[in-house]
């Protein structure tokens, strides 16, 4: 897979992620009441902060998985 | 699987820490934050396990599309779960949404992705075994030929003997491909 094609695939999936996130916000803003919506967004904001903070774990695990075989051989 | 368990030590530990943090926050805070603390803690645990374990393992295995699916599926399932909670079960509260959204369905996404990864890994291993079996005789013959040709050049002694053993192994592996040993052997 070339870098350009990989970039297109990654962009597509990021776009899908954005659509899902916007759909979540739209659904909750229409269906929840004003006070409940605030609580829900507060919870989701905290989850998002934790997600951003632990994003480096993905790279660390990937590095470990990718390089373990080469080191052993 | 061993690598997955190895990575799971950190991801699982941090997930448990997040759940513990939710419990502690639930006992410390008051009001709305107290009501949602445990749901948010479990949601954080699911997110940590998903990002640290599933996505990382797929990224390390160069399963690029599966890695992206590991990032897209959980929120997609979460959206479906929220919609089901609102419209099917009639639970239009933030607590129900947070619980349904991130915990059960993220785990379902992890299970689906693990199963797909495991199945494809098993399939790949079976394919590679089938590919190598008929050619193993040729492979051994080529390896012996290479060894016979360069053995007289090797130095002696225990340490150098070990080095020679490494070289022989490398030559054994390289005889099937284009390699410097082939030109040195004159074959």
């Amino acid at each position: 897979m070339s870098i350009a094609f990989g970039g297109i695939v990654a962009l597509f999936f990021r776009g899908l992620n954005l659509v899902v996130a916007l759909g979540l916000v739209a659904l909750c803003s229409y269906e929840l009441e004003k006070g409940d919506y605030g609580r829900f967004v507060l919870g989701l904001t905290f989850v998002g902060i934790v997600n951003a903070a632990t994003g480096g774990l993905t790279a660390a695990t990937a590095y470990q998985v990718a390089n373990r075989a080469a080191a052993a051989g | 699987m061993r690598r997955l368990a190895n990575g799971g030590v950190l991801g699982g530990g941090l997930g448990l820490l997040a759940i513990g943090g939710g419990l502690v926050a639930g006992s410390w805070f008051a009001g709305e934050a107290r009501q949602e603390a445990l749901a948010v803690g479990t949601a954080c645990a699911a997110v940590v396990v998903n990002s640290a374990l599933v996505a990382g393992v797929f990224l390390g295995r160069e399963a690029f599309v599966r890695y992206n699916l590991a990032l897209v599926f959980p929120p997609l399932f979460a959206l479906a779960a929220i919609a089901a909670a609102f419209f099917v079960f009639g639970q239009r509260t933030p607590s129900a949404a947070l619980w349904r959204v991130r915990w059960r369905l993220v785990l379902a996404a992890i299970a689906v992705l693990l199963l797909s990864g495991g199945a494809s890994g098993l399939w790949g291993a079976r394919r590679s075994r089938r590919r190598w079996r008929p050619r193993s005789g040729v492979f051994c013959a080529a390896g012996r030929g290479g060894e016979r040709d360069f053995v007289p050049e090797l130095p002696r002694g225990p340490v150098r003997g070990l080095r020679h053993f490494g070289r022989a192994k490398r030559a054994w592996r390289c005889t099937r491909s284009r390699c410097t040993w082939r030109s040195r052997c004159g074959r």
Side-chain angles (χ1 to χ4, degrees):
Chain A
M1 185 184 287
S2 68
I3 294 175
F5 185 66
I8 291 169
V9 171
L11 201 65
F12 168 74
F13 279 110
R14 292 306 167 277
L16 207 60
N17 244 340
L18 191 64
V19 167
V20 169
L22 288 176
L24 194 67
V25 169
L27 179 70
C28 292
S29 63
Y30 278 117
E31 293 300 323
L32 288 177
E33 292 178 6
K34 198 173 179 182
D36 291 342
Y37 182 63
R39 275 165 63 191
F40 182 70
V41 170
L42 177 70
L44 278 192
T45 304
F46 194 79
V47 173
I49 289 170
V50 170
N51 192 13
T54 58
L57 287 174
T58 308
T61 308
Y63 181 83
Q64 187 192 17
V65 169
N67 292 286
R68 178 60 68 88
Chain B
M1 206 60 198
R2 196 181 61 186
R3 286 170 200 156
L4 197 64
N6 197 5
V9 173
L10 188 60
L14 283 174
L16 287 176
L17 198 66
I19 294 175
L23 285 172
V24 171
S27 62
W28 277 356
F29 294 149
E32 293 180 348
R34 181 181 188 136
Q35 291 173 14
E36 307 300 337
L38 188 58
V40 171
T42 51
C44 290
V47 163
V48 167
V49 169
N50 180 55
S51 67
L53 267 184
V54 182
V57 168
F58 285 146
L59 185 63
R61 285 174 56 191
E62 298 182 354
F64 186 63
V65 173
R66 208 169 289 139
Y67 159 69
N68 278 291
L69 286 178
L71 297 181
V72 172
F73 269 9
L76 190 66
F77 284 169
L79 180 61
I82 281 196
F86 285 171
F87 298 119
V88 179
F89 298 103
Q91 298 174 338
R92 303 190 179 193
T93 60
S95 300
L98 278 170
W99 273 106
R100 280 182 180 272
V101 172
R102 293 279 176 176
W103 188 229
R104 296 181 187 171
L105 277 265
V106 166
L107 280 181
I110 289 171
V112 167
L113 288 163
L114 282 179
L115 283 175
S116 72
S120 70
L122 284 176
W123 185 72
R126 204 174 298 147
R127 266 191 69 195
S128 66
R129 211 182 304 140
R130 200 179 299 154
R131 193 167 61 235
W132 282 106
R133 196 181 293 147
R135 296 182 184 174
S136 58
V138 180
F139 181 66
C140 291
R144 272 192 218 118
E147 200 179 339
R148 183 197 63 206
D149 282 338
F150 75 78
V151 159
E153 300 175 6
L154 293 168
R156 292 177 184 176
V159 178
R160 291 185 172 187
L162 284 177
R163 197 176 298 159
H164 146 57
F165 183 66
R167 279 184 182 179
K169 270 201 327 191
R170 208 180 313 141
W172 183 286
R173 284 181 194 149
C174 288
T175 40
R176 285 195 70 253
S177 59
R178 276 178 292 177
C179 167
T180 53
W181 285 108
R182 182 169 288 182
S183 60
R184 196 181 270 198
C185 295
R187 288 189 299 121

